[in-house]
Amino acid sequence: MSELTSSERKNFEQIYRFVEEKRLEKNKVDFWIPKIWNEIGYRDTEVEQSGQIKVNPFHYFFELFQYISDYSNNPNDKHALEYREATIYSSLVRYTAAWDYNRDGHIESGTFLRMIILLPLLKKMGVNILYLLPINEYSDMHPKGDLGSPYAIKNYFHLDANLHDPLLDDLKGFTIHQEFKALVEACHMQGIKVVQDFIPKTAARNSALIYDHPDWFYWIYKKYESGFQPPKIPGLGVFEECTHDHLERVYTASETKEHLRKFSSSPDVINPELWDKLKKQSKQTGEDLLELIEKEFEITTAPAHSDWINDEQPVWTDITFLRFYLDEAPEVRPYLDSYQPPYVLFDTIKSNVFPGKMPNQLLWNLLEEVITFNLLEYGVDGFRIDIGHALPVSLLQHLFHIVREEKPDAILISEELFNKNHKRTFEYGYTMMLGSGWEMMTRLNKPDLIGYIKELPSLKLPIFACSETADTPRIVSRPGGVKLARAMAVFNHFLPNGVPFITTGQEVNERQPLNCGLSDNTGGESIPRAFFNKMIIDWNNQGAPAMIHLFKSLDTCKKKHRDLLLVENFFVADSPEELVIYGYENEEHVLLLCLNIGDQRSYVTLNHIVFSYFSYDMMIHTEEQIAKRSVNHSELIRINPLQAVIFSGMKSVE
């Protein structure tokens, strides 16, 4: 293990040495894991039953760490990741690695240590970016389920205590921060970059920041909390963007005037002596400070809501916005009374478009400290910026400068939802964005798909090539189910300027969502969601091996054609009926994707797509029972509904 003595692997090595010693002890620990996780080929299983294997955890982790050590990347390999070679896996650790490990009928939270078990499986599927949804300490105040949302961040510098692994209790002095660092180190050894969710715009309603900075928050009278929502603006449509042209209509509406009356000054302004008393009481007794404020001042932090006018999304009752400016934008001041307390409205949320003149510099400094802490303490490779489109542009660019000083090749992801905003997102300094691929699933038709893929080569930065995200319903819950999921996995894997994106659970056709904030198909039904409920992924799903094999095959195919899959080689072909066909062509090779999105069989001959090729191989077919074979250029090929096929061709030799 001499290769593990580097400081970049010291936490990984500490756990390695610990489990090596523990495996020699005779203490028996029941530890069951899904069989499909066992990518390392561990053979010393005690029992196999119902798709699970029972193992000695210390024996298993010793072999796992040995496996990762043996197949680790060169520690001196610091090359920047080319996005055309990237595949992202999005994980909520507490959910991805959750399981009933001792089979007592209770779900145990995933942990940083248990997440390491899945790394070889992710590597098999070609994953080289692990995007972690929030891992910080979160609040359980106003939960939407039996757990608090991971986005209700209570403390930027504390990690979620549930992500500590009890198997490491005897590793004295080893902190949860080191457990996370060990996961990052293990990822790097597998050639996987780690991107962390950064939540600068919102905080938990009872954030720890309230103690020292109550003026960083927006406050409403407690009596208005029930049913609190942004005003509906007459004369404007549903989901209307807040622009300067809309300000007069927004602020002169009687609904807005009523909304503004609900806000209060912060507790330190209302009664400084009582405020100091409550702070001391909270510190001495452990009582929640916000609950004391609500009782004594009859005010509370304002629930957050969308920055889009007349958005139909419900308010986010578990989070609240932070104040980035201590004043309002100059263009809205004429509409306000002189005594108006700080308030939240569509424009105040969009501080990128409607900045004030007085930046909340202490808050800006804190966010710089947070992002620096995560880079230096944990060694992460980048961030996805939550609601980053609404941050002050100067702050965003300053934070990006700080990140790039430490990591010039940092991955910086925007949650920008619309491809049309790619130039602005690029100019902000992002290196990747969510984009609108998820939206295609809500209106799967040929004209929209063709329009979508034709615009991709011109984008200034890559987007997620995805059929689902943590904020959308599962692809298998839509009409077409698993067939659709497999077809769209193939479709997304080769898109120009597209980075294949796998939402945790998608690789085993999981049906239960993490959340349904975008393109909800539940009809408002109250169903379990991993953002708010204790849940596990159905790792024993019968279709799981086939889906994982498909992702592996897609990655193999993509690597094989690496030099062909360039934007300049991309084309969209004319195609019959409900077929969507795109491909890549250079002087020697062609790669074709054919997708049938209709409900009838469709037929095509490859010489009608590319004229100078005659020798084709069927590389991938979403129906696994169909054998891969050579295909004649003039052969009439049948493609069934919701099938996707990849053909690789070589130029004809005259």
Side-chain angles (χ1 to χ4, degrees):
M1 281 214 17
S2 58
E3 71 274 22
L4 291 179
T5 57
S6 144
S7 61
E8 293 180 326
R9 304 179 179 183
K10 63 182 181 181
N11 300 287
F12 178 93
E13 183 180 5
Q14 276 188 263
I15 298 178
Y16 195 168
R17 296 304 186 196
F18 172 74
V19 297
E20 183 180 28
E21 295 174 2
K22 292 289 286 186
R23 73 191 178 110
L24 302 177
E25 298 179 3
K26 295 183 179 180
N27 296 332
K28 187 174 178 60
V29 180
D30 287 343
F31 198 77
W32 292 80
I33 62 172
K35 183 180 178 182
I36 204 166
W37 288 4
N38 185 25
E39 187 60 30
I40 65 174
Y42 181 80
R43 295 182 179 180
D44 193 17
T45 58
E46 299 176 14
V47 183
E48 180 178 332
Q49 190 178 86
S50 304
Q52 302 176 67
I53 55 175
K54 183 181 179 182
V55 300
N56 180 308
F58 299 109
H59 285 219
Y60 189 90
F61 277 108
F62 175 76
E63 288 202 16
L64 171 67
F65 277 47
Q66 182 67 62
Y67 177 96
I68 291 175
S69 174
D70 289 345
Y71 293 95
S72 64
N73 280 23
N74 184 336
N76 298 316
D77 184 7
K78 303 293 185 184
H79 76 283
L81 179 67
E82 289 192 44
Y83 290 123
R84 66 190 180 94
E85 300 176 353
T87 297
I88 300 176
Y89 185 87
S90 168
S91 170
L92 179 60
V93 174
R94 75 179 192 193
Y95 167 61
T96 301
W99 198 248
D100 181 5
Y101 287 95
N102 60 8
R103 297 188 76 172
D104 65 353
H106 296 92
I107 297 172
E108 295 178 50
S109 172
T111 67
F112 295 127
L113 177 64
R114 297 176 197 200
M115 190 67 206
I116 296 175
I117 300 176
L118 284 107
L119 297 186
L121 183 62
L122 301 186
K123 186 74 173 175
K124 175 181 179 178
M125 296 189 295
V127 172
N128 47 20
I129 299 177
L130 176 62
Y131 159 41
L132 296 176
L133 300 172
I135 56 174
N136 290 96
E137 177 188 359
Y138 59 86
S139 171
D140 59 2
M141 178 177 278
H142 306 296
K144 298 178 182 178
D146 50 27
L147 293 175
S149 167
Y151 284 89
I153 303 296
K154 193 168 184 180
N155 193 310
Y156 283 121
F157 298 99
H158 291 181
L159 297 174
D160 174 10
N162 296 303
L163 301 181
H164 159 69
D165 202 298
L167 291 172
L168 300 179
D169 283 348
D170 291 339
L171 185 53
K172 302 303 181 186
F174 199 79
T175 67
I176 190 171
H177 298 280
Q178 290 173 281
E179 293 179 49
F180 178 41
K181 285 190 277 189
L183 170 60
V184 175
E185 291 165 8
C187 286
H188 289 166
M189 294 167 71
Q190 291 279 278
I192 297 173
K193 306 282 188 181
V194 180
V195 173
Q196 199 175 354
D197 234 337
F198 177 48
I199 321 296
K201 186 70 177 176
T202 63
R205 295 277 301 281
N206 61 342
S207 167
L209 295 174
I210 293 174
Y211 190 89
D212 292 316
H213 305 285
D215 58 319
W216 290 6
F217 295 83
Y218 299 96
W219 298 86
I220 60 172
Y221 294 104
K222 178 69 174 171
K223 63 183 179 181
Y224 295 124
E225 180 183 21
S226 179
F228 180 83
Q229 61 180 1
K232 299 295 182 185
I233 307 301
L236 294 179
V238 175
F239 204 62
E240 193 93 38
E241 187 170 6
C242 183
T243 64
H244 287 82
D245 293 341
H246 289 149
L247 285 182
E248 183 175 3
R249 187 181 292 271
V250 168
Y251 276 93
T252 56
S254 60
E255 290 84 351
T256 298
K257 296 182 184 299
E258 178 63 29
H259 178 74
L260 295 179
R261 284 194 284 269
K262 297 176 181 178
F263 288 85
S264 164
S265 299
S266 56
D268 57 316
V269 173
I270 297 172
N271 187 332
E273 292 182 0
L274 178 57
W275 168 242
D276 287 338
K277 175 185 174 184
L278 295 186
K279 285 201 300 180
K280 292 176 182 176
Q281 181 178 338
S282 174
K283 195 167 188 178
Q284 292 171 355
T285 67
E287 293 173 271
D288 188 275
L289 180 56
L290 181 59
E291 292 181 354
L292 292 175
I293 294 170
E294 291 177 341
K295 181 179 178 181
E296 297 294 336
F297 284 93
E298 297 183 348
I299 62 174
T300 189
T301 47
H305 60 77
S306 170
D307 58 325
W308 290 79
I309 299 170
N310 297 340
D311 191 346
E312 295 179 343
Q313 281 192 78
V315 298
W316 305 313
T317 55
D318 52 353
I319 58 174
T320 190
F321 284 113
L322 293 168
R323 284 182 70 198
F324 282 84
Y325 289 95
L326 300 178
D327 61 343
E328 296 78 23
E331 51 265 57
V332 304
R333 289 177 194 157
Y335 300 108
L336 301 174
D337 293 333
S338 59
Y339 54 86
Q340 175 63 49
Y343 65 95
V344 179
L345 200 53
F346 315 111
D347 55 293
T348 64
I349 300 171
K350 293 177 72 71
S351 48
N352 59 321
V353 179
F354 300 98
K357 295 293 186 181
M358 299 171 56
N360 186 352
Q361 195 60 53
L362 291 178
L363 172 59
W364 292 28
N365 293 346
L366 174 76
L367 295 176
E368 178 181 334
E369 184 181 350
V370 171
I371 212 162
T372 303
F373 173 82
N374 282 277
L375 282 172
L376 299 181
E377 179 71 11
Y378 304 129
V380 298
D381 303 288
F383 301 93
R384 200 249 4 179
I385 314 298
D386 189 63
I387 321 183
H389 67 282
L391 288 178
V393 177
S394 57
L395 170 62
L396 188 67
Q397 293 179 331
H398 175 68
L399 293 176
F400 286 177
H401 174 73
I402 296 297
V403 172
R404 288 196 171 99
E405 278 192 327
E406 179 63 28
K407 287 187 181 288
D409 301 316
I411 302 166
L412 297 167
I413 301 173
S414 167
E415 69 165 333
E416 172 58 61
L417 300 175
F418 303 106
N419 289 0
K420 66 181 181 181
N421 295 327
H422 67 105
K423 291 182 181 178
R424 180 180 69 189
T425 307
F426 174 78
E427 290 167 358
Y428 285 170
Y430 287 104
T431 59
M432 192 186 307
M433 70 181 194
L434 168 56
S436 53
W438 59 275
E439 191 184 15
M440 292 299 102
M441 297 301 97
T442 67
R443 45 189 176 88
L444 192 63
N445 62 72
K446 185 170 180 175
D448 284 341
L449 274 182
I450 293 293
Y452 168 69
I453 59 180
K454 280 186 174 180
E455 74 176 356
L456 294 180
S458 65
L459 299 185
K460 297 284 287 183
L461 72 177
I463 66 165
F464 290 178
C466 61
S467 55
E468 64 176 59
T469 75
D471 278 315
T472 71
R474 295 288 190 174
I475 180 66
V476 295
S477 71
R478 299 191 182 279
V482 172
K483 276 192 174 183
L484 175 64
R486 292 176 63 81
M488 297 313 296
V490 177
F491 172 82
N492 282 317
H493 225 80
F494 301 93
L495 292 175
N497 272 329
V499 179
F501 182 92
I502 304 170
T503 301
T504 186
Q506 185 179 350
E507 71 273 33
V508 294
N509 299 316
E510 177 58 60
R511 296 190 64 85
Q512 297 184 104
L514 286 89
N515 194 24
C516 293
L518 296 174
S519 65
D520 189 1
N521 65 353
T522 66
E525 182 182 356
S526 180
I527 62 172
R529 306 176 191 206
F531 272 9
F532 315 112
N533 298 94
K534 186 178 290 188
M535 295 165 55
I536 58 173
I537 292 169
D538 184 9
W539 291 103
N540 290 334
N541 186 304
Q542 289 186 348
M547 196 68 180
I548 290 172
H549 177 71
L550 176 61
F551 279 120
K552 179 184 177 182
S553 299
L554 291 169
D555 180 64
T556 300
C557 181
K558 194 170 185 178
K559 285 184 170 72
K560 180 178 179 179
H561 296 89
R562 176 184 183 278
D563 295 331
L564 174 63
L565 300 175
L566 303 174
V567 169
E568 55 265 32
N569 295 332
F570 178 76
F571 66 93
V572 179
D574 292 333
S575 52
E577 300 169 346
E578 292 300 304
L579 282 185
V580 175
I581 301 176
Y582 71 76
Y584 295 82
E585 180 183 6
N586 63 17
E587 294 179 353
E588 298 179 352
H589 297 95
V590 67
L591 191 77
L592 296 174
L593 177 140
C594 301
L595 166 68
N596 185 350
I597 60 171
D599 55 8
Q600 302 292 325
R601 291 175 180 172
S602 194
Y603 296 85
V604 67
T605 54
L606 300 184
N607 61 1
H608 287 162
I609 305 171
V610 181
F611 301 104
S612 59
Y613 293 81
F614 79 101
S615 177
Y616 288 90
D617 289 320
M618 183 188 294
M619 301 289 293
I620 292 172
H621 199 297
T622 51
E623 291 194 6
E624 292 206 327
Q625 66 271 26
I626 295 180
K628 311 300 184 292
R629 60 184 179 87
S630 296
V631 178
N632 186 281
H633 72 291
S634 60
E635 178 181 344
L636 190 63
I637 299 168
R638 183 184 74 188
I639 303 178
N640 290 328
L642 297 183
Q643 284 185 16
V645 190
I646 296 285
F647 298 99
S648 174
M650 295 186 63
K651 177 165 280 191
S652 173
V653 179
E654 299 294 340

